[in-house]
């Protein structure tokens, strides 16, 4: 959450400076973008899952300079860290593939535009390379992404730096007590959420 708060402050300061310099941008239309960054986990999931590589592709539509709607694919690969136990099973990984629908609200109409976002998403989690022996399992998980970002527009090209905090729900991929023979009905699942920060480059049509 601190990273989101910091980005909001930076966005507000940069956006104010851009407004002072003037120069609105007509950023309306369809944008296709792709990029990557880092994804990690918080609370009870943080000790078990290391930060990893995130990537994604987004199609966005802006009917006005301030309001945007996006549909996107995102994925990530994170190493599972069982406090040394992972050495017994190899190099276990948690692979996430998902999609999300997001609405964005710009805070200025300048070429350097800070914005906030919120939406809904669904991801498929797959465990690889022995993570099942540590109690992890494949699962489908819902998420509510909330966050902030900063876009820069120049001609038909955009650059977008953003961060989300994803509130996970129906999360059952990381039981507190491991073991491949554990009955899922008896498992207590580790609670936590995820976060990511990405830089995306786009083309405006």
């Amino acid at each position: 959450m601190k990273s989101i708060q910091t980005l909001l402050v930076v966005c507000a300061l940069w956006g104010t400076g851009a407004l002072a310099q003037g120069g609105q941008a007509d950023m309306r239309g369809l944008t296709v973008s792709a990029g990557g960054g880092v994804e990690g986990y918080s609370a009870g999931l943080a000790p078990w899952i290391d930060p990893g590589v995130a990537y994604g592709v987004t199609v966005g539509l802006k009917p006005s300079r301030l309001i945007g709607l996006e549909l996107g694919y995102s994925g990530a690969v994170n190493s599972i860290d069982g406090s040394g136990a992972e050495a017994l099973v190899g190099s276990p990984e948690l692979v996430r593939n998902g999609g999300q629908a997001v609405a964005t609200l710009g805070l200025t109409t300048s070429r350097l535009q800070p914005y906030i976002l919120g939406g809904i998403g669904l991801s498929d989690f797959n465990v690889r390379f022995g993570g099942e022996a540590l109690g992890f399992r494949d699962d489908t998980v819902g998420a509510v992404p909330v966050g902030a970002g900063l876009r820069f527009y120049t001609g038909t090209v955009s650059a977008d730096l953003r961060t989300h905090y994803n509130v996970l729900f129906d999360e059952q991929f990381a039981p507190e007590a491991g073991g491949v023979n554990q009955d899922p009905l008896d498992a207590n699942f580790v609670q936590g959420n995820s976060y990511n920060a990405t830089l995306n480059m786009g083309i405006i049509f």
Side-chain angles (χ1 to χ4, degrees):
M1 291 300 291
K2 289 184 178 179
S3 62
I4 294 177
Q5 293 171 352
T6 301
L7 184 56
L8 279 171
V9 172
V10 172
C11 287
L13 292 174
W14 284 12
T16 300
L19 277 178
Q21 296 175 2
Q24 290 187 340
D26 187 5
M27 65 280 288
R28 294 173 295 183
L30 183 70
T31 300
V32 178
S33 60
V38 63
E39 180 163 299
Y41 290 81
S42 66
L45 292 172
W48 287 91
I49 307 173
D50 294 333
V53 177
Y55 43 85
V57 178
T58 300
V59 177
L61 177 64
K62 293 196 71 176
S64 75
R65 291 187 176 94
L66 296 179
I67 298 174
L69 302 172
E70 298 180 356
L71 290 175
Y73 157 80
S74 67
V77 180
N78 298 79
S79 296
I80 297 174
D81 182 359
S83 300
E86 70 278 3
L88 302 176
V89 296
S91 301
E93 292 180 341
L94 185 67
V95 180
R96 183 187 66 79
N97 290 284
Q100 63 183 22
V102 167
T104 64
L105 177 63
L107 304 181
T108 74
T109 57
S110 62
R111 293 184 182 278
L112 187 62
Q113 183 186 57
Y115 64 90
I116 57 176
L117 65 87
I120 189 74
L122 189 68
S123 289
D124 186 50
F125 287 79
N126 296 110
V127 179
R128 303 193 305 188
F129 307 134
E132 297 88 348
L134 300 177
F136 283 77
R137 63 195 68 189
D138 295 349
D139 192 20
T140 300
V141 179
V144 177
V146 292
L150 186 67
R151 292 192 186 102
F152 176 70
Y153 295 89
T154 175
T156 60
V157 177
S158 69
D160 186 334
L161 176 64
R162 65 171 55 180
T163 182
H164 317 162
Y165 188 80
N166 304 291
V167 180
L168 305 181
F169 60 91
D170 196 22
E171 168 200 333
Q172 299 182 356
F173 61 82
E176 290 180 354
V180 294
N181 297 319
Q182 184 177 12
D183 185 347
L185 297 178
D186 296 332
N188 293 317
F189 297 99
V190 176
Q191 298 300 307
N193 298 303
S194 68
Y195 60 87
N196 58 47
T198 58
L199 175 63
N200 305 281
M201 301 299 296
I203 301 295
I204 304 169
F205 297 92

